Amino acid sequence: MSDIKFNSMTHFEAVARLGGVAKAAQELQVTPSAVSQQLRLLEHQLGVRLFQREKRHLSLTIDGERLFQTTTQAFESIREVRNAIVRQRESFQLSLRVSPSFGEKWLAPRLAEFSKGYPSWNLRVDATPNFSDFETEVIDLDLRYGDGGWAGLYSDCVVNDL
């Protein structure tokens, strides 16, 4: 099944979920004939019929129903993640990691004023002595006390305590 194209599965799932080629074509922003071509291609690749065609009505075969159950769950998961990513991008989120002492002495007293001035921002602060691993963690900014020069990290002075 490795030779089956993702595009064909997308078209199949849309037709089965929406109940017709025209509706799927509208959602996918392609022509109905392009959708029909992808369905024929998928059926040819699988060697089974996925729909019973009766006049202008489509109904899933047993094999079509099995494939639809799996594809609709997979695509729904993809849609949910995509929507979460879009919502996150649009919601002004900032994830900070700070050393506990910096968080307590410098950042915390300023958070209320920041929240008042920027109410649409969702600020998440994680106070820990551990540095962020930007390769594996979702952290936007790591504020630390020190002279900088940490290997593999960009550093800039935010406040001078002298």
Side-chain angles (χ1 to χ4, degrees), residues 83-147:
N83 292 341
I85 290 169
V86 168
R87 278 192 311 273
Q88 179 181 355
R89 187 183 68 227
E90 294 172 350
S91 69
F92 302 112
Q93 293 190 4
L94 183 61
S95 183
L96 300 175
R97 180 164 287 165
V98 297
S99 61
S101 60
F102 181 82
E104 179 185 354
K105 294 177 180 155
W106 189 87
L107 184 62
R110 292 163 172 81
L111 287 178
E113 184 179 334
F114 178 85
S115 294
K116 260 192 261 177
Y118 303 93
S120 61
W121 280 81
N122 180 11
L123 189 62
R124 182 179 155 271
V125 179
D126 179 20
T128 178
N130 303 322
F131 285 93
S132 298
D133 181 351
F134 290 100
E135 296 292 322
T136 62
E137 298 177 276
V138 181
I139 300 291
D140 296 309
L141 184 64
D142 192 333
L143 295 169
R144 295 292 156 174
Y145 179 81
D147 294 331

Side-chain angles (χ1 to χ4, degrees), residues 8-51:
S8 297
M9 297 294 263
T10 303
H11 286 65
F12 164 77
E13 191 274 340
V15 170
R17 177 173 40 84
L18 298 171
V21 170
K23 289 178 183 177
Q26 186 175 10
E27 178 179 287
L28 297 168
Q29 299 179 346
V30 297
T31 64
S33 62
V35 173
S36 295
Q37 182 180 4
Q38 289 297 319
L39 293 179
R40 284 191 300 276
L41 176 64
L42 183 59
E43 287 180 327
H44 176 73
Q45 289 173 327
L46 293 173
V48 298
R49 298 196 56 83
L50 300 171
F51 292 98

Side-chain angles (χ1 to χ4, degrees), residues 13 68-79:
E13 191 274 340
F68 175 64
Q69 292 302 318
T70 301
T71 57
T72 196
Q73 289 172 3
F75 286 132
E76 184 57 34
S77 293
I78 292 168
R79 283 188 285 272

Side-chain angles (χ1 to χ4, degrees), residues 47-84:
V48 298
R49 298 196 56 83
L50 300 171
F51 292 98
Q52 292 285 27
R53 292 160 177 85
E54 299 169 8
K55 296 188 182 180
R56 298 186 68 75
H57 176 35
L58 292 177
S59 59
L60 289 168
T61 63
I62 292 171
D63 289 326
E65 184 63 41
R66 289 176 47 211
L67 184 60
F68 175 64
Q69 292 302 318
T70 301
T71 57
T72 196
Q73 289 172 3
F75 286 132
E76 184 57 34
S77 293
I78 292 168
R79 283 188 285 272
E80 286 174 13
V81 169
R82 180 198 63 211
N83 292 341

